[in-house]
């Protein structure tokens, strides 16, 4: 039953991702991205990655969608995208080639001899997660701090002082 | 020693950021460049001191952890410094110093933002140099990347934003590929610490998930080729270099792309994918393509910085070639060339900054005969270019020679021959640039130009001295490496 | 071993002194000129001092061992000291001549620095015991050559300087590939350790490319006539004293002394030399630019040197070596005379000159003396050298080579006479000119007289060269 | 072969392809960022999948969390640059970005 839900969520996620690519309205495609992100969070939850799922749901499908929606409304680009897509047949023609290549490599992966992947994990306990995060991944935590600092300075440079020039 | 390393390489820039942003904005802006000097100089000194300590204790590397001790076994992301990372840390300090010296004259009112971001990018690069874990490597790669996008767009002008966006897109694709490959490797290994992965992959052909690993390797090479700007994946690099503010070009060209691409690649190849001929051979071919393509493309450019960008592609090819040869000699050659490239390419970007500041353009068709007006810039650019073209006794010759001997010995004579003969293209674009910018008759509208005085000239002179001294004293260095048992 | 200090003085006084000159020049131009001359003369004097020991059979040697077979070292045997003496002698006279020639132009600091550095690199090159050192000094000389040819800074001039640089550096890179291939075979860059090895044909061809590009032999000669845009002392330095001789010296050092060659090269190299001599002599006969004529004559005469060194007989080799000396003196004199003529008349076209002997008497006499030496008219020095070369070729395995060179010698006589008559005899075209400055005139006079004396007292130099060749080949 | 594993890998691959396809298809700067986000979703899935396969789910979750933080920052910076470009150019068309050529 759990497997069925995983598969269902994955299929829906791919559909939502495809919609984010194909929809002409930027707003709708942004929202599709958020939906895909939420469905991914469900998959993560079903696979046993609770904490990752919570982060994915709140940050990716929440925060990033907000960022995109505000970017779309700030740049007024909702309508303009439509014209561009049409003149773009040549690039679209690359799609079958990509798909064939991808399909071939996938078949290669899936049907090579004695290749067997079994999802074996049990959900990680909170204690194990805490141990992993705080005592094993110190450099990542430092990295997160620095990355947030970088993001702050980026916002200062790109938004706050833009009008001074 | 351990606390010393932690504090100087990771703590100090953080402290500088704190210091600059706690005081009032005005004071912060006023002292920021000086604080930057201090941080960069301390980093250089600390790198040298750490090298001395390593040799005194007779160790190859020293591991340390960050905030508190990590004794857990699987997946503990410790930090570590060895000779190569110390050389690289020294280069980071040196190029940051040069960038600061350039910025003092060119950055205008943006000093506080610039210094903040410089500290962040230094942290990112130092992180790349000291981590021992693939995922942490990715984290610091991204930090370096984010800081460099913002630095390119620092002046908020059209070109800067455009270059930053192009860089961002390519870099994000590269990061996705790199992280994807790490995920696939993680499937097999259960840990991403260098040592664990190396052990788990030692017999990877018979591993349970071998096909996934192959896909992972392909994604890995593609991702790092984009990050390093190796030939078929180089598209973003000239745009980013050309569009960045002068002092940021110094930083990008001198060290950032080499840290994010080349150093990380070398580190992973050396400590994780040990002895995998498949990867080495691919990189060898990519390296040769880069060498020839970058040099030929540089001959057709019209912009000072763009010529330098294409020449970076070519020189990065040599470093990759040295590593891909798979021998210790090649690795040492690559390490030395890394250092040399940091010096001479930084010199050249400092020179381009000087030319841009004094004449207002970097279009080589509008320049000419500047040697009469800007002797320091002209002479240092000649030295740097000759070093790059591998003309003895300058530094670049020796590292190139080691790389070529290594390739010749361990792979093929033809590869070494091609790599050496491609230097003629380096000489060709050197001549084009010299003829149009410095040599040749003085253009009429440039008669009022004066030398870029002060810190910019100082940076050029210091770096030229390093290039010449390294080249002339190379026999001593070689002897020293030999005594240490490295060669 | 005794006397290592001498070699170091000989190499490093000009090499390091060169970098002092621009600094001195900012304060006192006169002192700079004198210092430049002093540095070059130091090189000459030390070379002369080193000569007895070099000939005594225990050459001065200094070596430093490095890992990977990267030894560094200097070595003064007869061949090296002889080359150093020849170059520094002619170079001293050229530097002296420059005092008068160059004083009205900008960039003098760079000029003197590059000239002295150039000579220093020549000194370093001849004493090197190591392929890498040879390559190092080879490239330094290419850089100096590039700056010096582009001395006047015109767009076209700089372009030609670039051409010369690209050709010599390209050749040098091929040569370096050859060197590395030798290194792969022997495991060392040290010449003394690899003595007597047979090298592969590929390495031989690559190294030969480098040599031919440097000493401007067909088919890599095209940069040399173009280099005539440089100031006359520079062209003289390039053609007569230093640059082209570098290629010849390395040829002698590597293929005469150090490596065993396949016998087929004993024919191939002379044939290349012969073709080069004839084609460029032909070109010299139709040119009208005085400096280009003399430049083509250089290419042609280099053919003789190569023939002598490669024909495989002792007499020929000694003659080749002797001709290096005689040609340096005479060709240096010719270029400096051409410089005086150009300086006075402001043209290089021989059709627009005539009768200058009346206004430039000393120059005319010096030109005649040098030209006779190059033509090979007895009793000038060139005659004996050419005679030995052709005699050596005639007694070698392929005597028909001698015929080719006799034709070349006749052509030399024709085109040099043509120049001499057109420029110095006939109707006077420039009535209001006068002799160059005393430095310039005395320099050419010295070179002319030396060319004559070299022939009259031929015993001494021919004894020295024969002795050098004998001791080298019997090693 | 566990069918769920196969489907997860397929889904990840499809998402990457969707992202790449979106990159070459569009001229809109914002949509380019969306394309990158879609590809990053696939990478997240792969990381958790790896944790589920090798049983080291705790470690894989820490990876995902760090990665999400960085992803957000990259998205914000990218959106910031795109908005600044909009202010300079008046639109978000990538064909307007032609200042750098050579």
């Amino acid at each position: 039953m759990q497997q069925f839900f995983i598969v269902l969520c994955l299929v829906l996620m791919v559909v939502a991702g495809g919609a984010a690519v194909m929809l002409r309205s930027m707003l709708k495609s942004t929202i599709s991205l958020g939906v895909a992100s939420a469905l991914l969070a469900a998959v993560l939850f079903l696979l046993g990655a609770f904490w990752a799922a919570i982060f994915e749901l709140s940050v990716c499908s929440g925060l990033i969608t907000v960022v995109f929606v505000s970017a779309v409304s700030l740049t007024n680009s909702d309508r303009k995208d439509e014209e561009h897509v049409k003149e773009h047949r040549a690039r679209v023609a690359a799609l079958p080639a990509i798909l064939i290549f991808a399909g071939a490599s996938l078949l290669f992966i899936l049907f090579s001899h004695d290749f067997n992947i079994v999802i074996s994990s049990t959900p990680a306990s909170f204690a194990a997660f805490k141990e992993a995060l705080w005592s094993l991944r110190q450099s990542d935590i430092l990295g997160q701090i620095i990355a947030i600092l970088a993001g702050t300075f980026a916002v200062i440079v790109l938004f706050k002082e833009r009008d001074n020039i | 020693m351990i606390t010393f390393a932690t504090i100087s390489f990771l703590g100090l820039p953080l402290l500088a950021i704190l210091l600059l942003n706690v005081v009032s904005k005005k004071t912060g802006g006023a002292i920021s460049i000086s604080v930057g000097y201090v941080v960069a100089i301390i980093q250089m000194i600390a790198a040298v001191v750490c090298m001395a300590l390593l040799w005194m204790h007779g160790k190859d590397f020293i591991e340390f952890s960050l905030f508190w001790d990590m004794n857990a076994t699987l997946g503990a992301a410790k930090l570590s410094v060895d000779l190569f990372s110390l050389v690289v840390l020294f280069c980071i300090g040196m190029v940051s110093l040069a960038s600061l010296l350039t910025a003092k004259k060119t950055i205008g009112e943006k000093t506080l933002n610039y210094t903040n971001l410089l500290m962040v990018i230094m942290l990112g690069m130092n992180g790349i140099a000291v981590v021992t874990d693939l995922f942490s490597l990715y984290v610091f790669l991204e930090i370096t990347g984010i800081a460099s996008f913002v630095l390119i767009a620092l002046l908020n002008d059209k070109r800067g934003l455009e270059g930053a966006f192009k860089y961002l897109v390519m870099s994000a694709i590269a990061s996705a590929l790199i992280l994807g490959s790490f995920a696939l490797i993680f499937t097999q290994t259960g840990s991403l610490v260098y040592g664990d992965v190396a052990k788990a992959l030692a017999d990877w052909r018979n591993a349970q998930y071998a096909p996934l690993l192959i896909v992972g390797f392909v994604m890995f090479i593609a991702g790092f080729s984009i990050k390093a700007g190796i030939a078929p994946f180089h598209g973003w690099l000239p745009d980013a270099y050309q569009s960045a503010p002068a002092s940021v070009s110094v930083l990008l060209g001198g060290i950032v792309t080499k840290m994010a691409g080349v150093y990380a690649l070398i580190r992973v190849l050396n400590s994780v994918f040990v002895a995998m001929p498949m990867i080495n051979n691919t990189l060898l071919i990519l390296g040769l393509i880069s060498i020839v393509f970058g040099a030929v493309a540089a001959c057709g450019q019209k912009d000072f910085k763009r010529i330098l960008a294409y020449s970076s592609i070519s020189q990065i090819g040599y470093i990759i070639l040295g590593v891909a040869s798979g021998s210790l000699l090649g690795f040492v050659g690559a390490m030395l060339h890394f250092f040399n490239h940091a010096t001479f390419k930084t010199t050249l970007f400092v020179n381009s900054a000087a030319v841009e500041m004094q004449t207002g353009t970097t279009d080589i068709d509008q320049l000419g005969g500047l040697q009469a007006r800007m002797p320091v810039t002209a002479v240092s650019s000649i030295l740097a270019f000759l070093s790059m073209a591998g003309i003895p006794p300058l530094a670049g010759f020796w590292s190139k020679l080691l790389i070529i001997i290594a390739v010749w010995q361990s792979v093929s004579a033809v590869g070494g021959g091609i790599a050496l003969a491609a230097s003629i293209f380096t000489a060709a674009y050197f001549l084009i640039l010299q003829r149009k910018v410095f040599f040749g008759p003085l253009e009429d509208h440039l008669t009022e130009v004066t030398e870029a005085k002060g810190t910019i000239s100082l940076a050029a002179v210091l770096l030229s001295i390093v290039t010449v001294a390294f080249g002339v004293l190379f026999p001593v260095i070689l002897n020293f490496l030999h005594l240490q048992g490295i060669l | 071993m005794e006397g290592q200090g001498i070699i170091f003085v000989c190499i490093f006084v000009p090499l390091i002194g060169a970098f002092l000159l621009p600094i001195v020049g900012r304060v006192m131009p006169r002192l700079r000129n004198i210092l430049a001359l002093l540095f070059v003369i130091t090189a000459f004097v030390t070379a002369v001092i080193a000569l007895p020991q070099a000939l005594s059979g225990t050459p001065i040697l200094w070596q430093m061992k490095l890992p990977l077979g990267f030894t560094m070292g200097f070595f003064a045997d007869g061949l090296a000291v002889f080359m150093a003496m020849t170059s520094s002698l002619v170079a001293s006279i050229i530097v002296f001549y420059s005092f008068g020639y160059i004083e009205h132009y900008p960039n003098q600091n760079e000029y003197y620095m590059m000239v002295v550095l150039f000579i220093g690199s020549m000194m370093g090159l001849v004493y090197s015991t190591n392929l890498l050192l040879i390559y190092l000094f080879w490239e330094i000389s290419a850089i100096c050559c590039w700056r010096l040819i582009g001395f006047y800074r015109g767009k076209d001039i700089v372009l030609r300087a670039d051409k010369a640089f690209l050709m010599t550096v390209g050749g040098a890179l091929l040569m370096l590939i050859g060197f590395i291939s030798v290194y792969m075979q022997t495991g060392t860059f040290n010449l003394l350790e690899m003595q007597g090895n047979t090298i592969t044909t590929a390495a031989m061809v690559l190294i030969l490319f480098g040599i031919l590009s440097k000493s401007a032999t067909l088919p890599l000669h095209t940069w040399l006539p173009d280099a005539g845009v440089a100031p006359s002392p520079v062209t003289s330095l390039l053609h007569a004293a230093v640059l082209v001789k570098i290629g010849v010296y390395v040829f002698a050092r590597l293929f005469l002394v150090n490596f065993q060659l396949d016998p087929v090269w004993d024919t191939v190299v002379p044939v290349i030399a012969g073709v080069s001599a004839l084609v460029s002599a032909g070109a010299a006969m139709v040119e009208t630019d005085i400096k280009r004529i003399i430049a083509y004559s250089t290419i042609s005469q280099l053919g003789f040197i190569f023939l002598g060194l490669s024909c495989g007989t002792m007499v020929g080799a000694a003659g080749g070596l002797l001709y290096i000396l005689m040609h340096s003196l005479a060709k240096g004199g010719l270029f400096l005379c051409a410089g005086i003529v150009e300086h006075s008349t402001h043209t290089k076209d021989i059709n627009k000159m005539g009768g200058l002997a009346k206004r430039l008497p000393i120059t005319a006499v010096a030109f005649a003396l040098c030209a006779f030496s190059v033509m090979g008219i007895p009793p000038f020095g060139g005659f004996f050298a050419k005679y030995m070369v052709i005699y050596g070729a005639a007694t070698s395995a392929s005597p028909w080579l001698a015929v080719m060179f006799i034709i070349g010698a006749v052509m030399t006589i024709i085109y040099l006479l043509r120049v001499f008559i057109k420029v110095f005899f006939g109707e006077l075209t420039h009535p209001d000119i006068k002799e160059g400055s005393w430095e310039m005139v005395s320099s050419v006079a010295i070179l002319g007289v030396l060319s004559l004396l070299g022939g009259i007292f031929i015993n001494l130099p021919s004894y020295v060269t024969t002795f050098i060749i004998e001791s080298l080949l019997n090693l | 072969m566990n069918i769920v594993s196969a489907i997860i890998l397929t889904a990840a691959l499809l998402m990457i392809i969707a992202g790449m396809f979106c990159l070459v298809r569009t001229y809109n700067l914002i949509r380019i960022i969306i394309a990158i986000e879609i590809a990053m979703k696939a990478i997240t899935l792969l990381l958790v999948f790896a944790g589920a396969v090798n049983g080291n789910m705790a470690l894989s979750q820490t990876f995902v969390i760090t990665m999400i933080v960085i992803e957000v920052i990259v998205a914000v910076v990218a959106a910031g640059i795109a908005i600044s470009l909009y202010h300079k150019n008046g639109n978000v068309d990538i064909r307007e970005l032609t200042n750098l050529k050579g």
Side-chain angles (χ1 to χ4, degrees), chain B residues 1-3 5-6 54 59-66 69-73 75-82 85 130-133 193-196 271:
Chain B
M1 153 100 199
I2 286 166
T3 39
T6 322
L54 270 187
K59 287 183 184 171
D60 284 341
F61 62 92
I62 290 179
E63 276 199 334
F64 55 98
S65 50
L66 203 56
D69 201 33
M70 292 194 284
N71 44 16
T73 48
K78 288 191 176 168
L79 308 176
S80 133
V81 286
D82 62 2
S85 48
V130 298
V131 295
T132 61
D133 176 281
V193 178
Y194 292 163
D196 300 346
S271 36

Side-chain angles (χ1 to χ4, degrees), chain B residues 10-354:
Chain B
L10 295 172
L12 206 62
L14 269 179
L15 196 71
I17 292 176
L18 210 63
L19 177 70
L20 291 176
N21 294 287
V22 166
V23 296
S24 78
K25 209 177 144 188
K26 216 170 162 190
T27 337
I31 60 168
S32 59
I33 296 273
S34 318
V35 172
Y37 289 154
V38 173
V39 174
I41 291 171
I42 291 182
Q43 169 145 347
M44 285 160 77
I45 296 170
V48 174
V49 171
C50 281
M51 272 185 228
L53 287 174
L54 270 187
W55 281 318
M56 273 165 56
H57 296 292
K59 287 183 184 171
D60 284 341
F61 62 92
I62 290 179
E63 276 199 334
F64 55 98
S65 50
L66 203 56
F67 303 115
W68 51 85
D69 201 33
M70 292 194 284
N71 44 16
T73 48
L74 194 64
K78 288 191 176 168
L79 308 176
S80 133
V81 286
D82 62 2
L83 178 60
F84 186 28
S85 48
L86 286 172
V87 168
V88 158
L89 286 165
F90 182 82
C91 291
I92 295 170
M94 184 174 72
V95 179
S96 304
L97 186 64
S99 171
L100 281 160
L101 288 168
T102 316
K104 184 153 173 70
K105 291 274 176 182
T106 56
I107 206 76
E109 292 175 357
K110 293 271 189 179
T111 48
L112 182 60
N113 284 331
Y114 166 77
T115 318
N116 279 333
L117 284 162
L118 183 78
M119 291 300 127
V120 172
I121 209 169
M122 276 178 82
L123 278 171
M125 291 190 288
N126 290 352
I128 294 173
V130 298
V131 295
T132 61
D133 176 281
L134 289 174
F135 189 78
S136 305
L137 182 68
Y138 159 80
V139 171
F140 285 100
L141 279 178
E142 284 294 274
I143 292 167
T144 314
I146 293 166
S148 40
F149 313 145
V150 186
L151 277 171
I152 295 172
L154 189 66
L155 301 181
N156 257 305
D157 57 335
K158 237 178 174 175
R159 296 172 112 199
L161 289 167
E162 183 184 331
F165 197 80
K166 284 179 179 169
Y167 185 15
L168 189 146
V169 172
M170 293 308 284
S171 170
I173 294 169
S175 303
L177 286 170
I178 291 168
L179 192 58
S181 82
F182 291 169
L184 293 176
I185 291 166
F186 184 54
T187 314
Q188 171 71 48
T189 60
S191 161
L192 282 179
V193 178
Y194 292 163
D196 300 346
V197 180
K199 247 178 263 161
L201 291 187
D203 189 24
W204 67 273
R205 279 173 201 283
N206 300 322
Q208 199 182 353
Y209 308 124
L212 284 186
L213 291 178
I214 293 178
V215 179
F217 296 154
V218 172
M219 286 165 82
F220 169 82
I221 292 178
F224 271 111
S225 302
I226 296 175
K227 282 261 182 196
I230 296 173
F233 309 99
H234 65 277
W236 58 272
L237 191 139
D239 291 346
Y241 282 16
Q242 189 191 350
S243 61
S247 55
V248 180
S249 297
V250 172
L251 200 64
L252 283 178
I255 194 87
V256 172
T257 47
K258 276 199 302 302
M259 279 312 289
V262 181
Y263 174 84
L265 180 64
I266 295 176
R267 180 55 78 188
V268 175
L269 277 185
N270 248 342
S271 36
V272 182
F273 301 152
V274 190
M276 286 197 188
M278 182 181 76
I279 295 180
N280 278 354
N281 291 341
T282 316
L283 285 173
L284 199 77
I285 292 163
L286 287 177
L288 275 178
I289 294 173
S290 290
I291 289 172
V292 176
F293 170 83
V296 173
C299 295
Q301 299 304 318
K302 295 273 169 247
D303 186 280
F304 199 148
K305 283 187 184 176
R306 243 181 137 74
I307 292 177
L308 299 184
Y310 277 104
S311 86
S312 272
I313 295 171
S314 166
Q315 297 304 312
I316 282 170
Y318 281 101
I319 303 177
I320 299 287
L321 204 63
V323 179
S325 73
S327 64
L328 183 63
L329 183 64
F331 175 70
V332 172
M335 187 170 90
L336 295 175
H337 204 62
F338 191 104
F339 176 79
N340 289 338
H341 188 240
T343 20
F344 59 64
K345 196 46 70 66
T346 310
T347 319
L348 288 170
F349 273 109
V350 169
N351 291 332
S352 81

Side-chain angles (χ1 to χ4, degrees), chain C residues 2 11 45 56 125 145 240 253 274 283 308 329 341 387 407 409-410 448 473:
Chain C
E2 291 287 304
I11 297 169
V45 171
S56 72
L125 191 128
C145 170
R253 170 62 73 197
L329 292 171
V341 169
Y387 174 76
I407 298 171
V410 173
L473 295 187

Side-chain angles (χ1 to χ4, degrees), chain B residues 371 382 392 424 435 439-441, chain C residues 136 147 153 159 162 170 184:
Chain B
Q371 197 200 15
I382 289 177
I424 191 69
R435 185 170 73 233
F439 217 21
Chain C
L136 189 161
R147 296 307 292 196
R153 297 287 197 275
L159 207 60
D162 286 1
M184 288 299 158

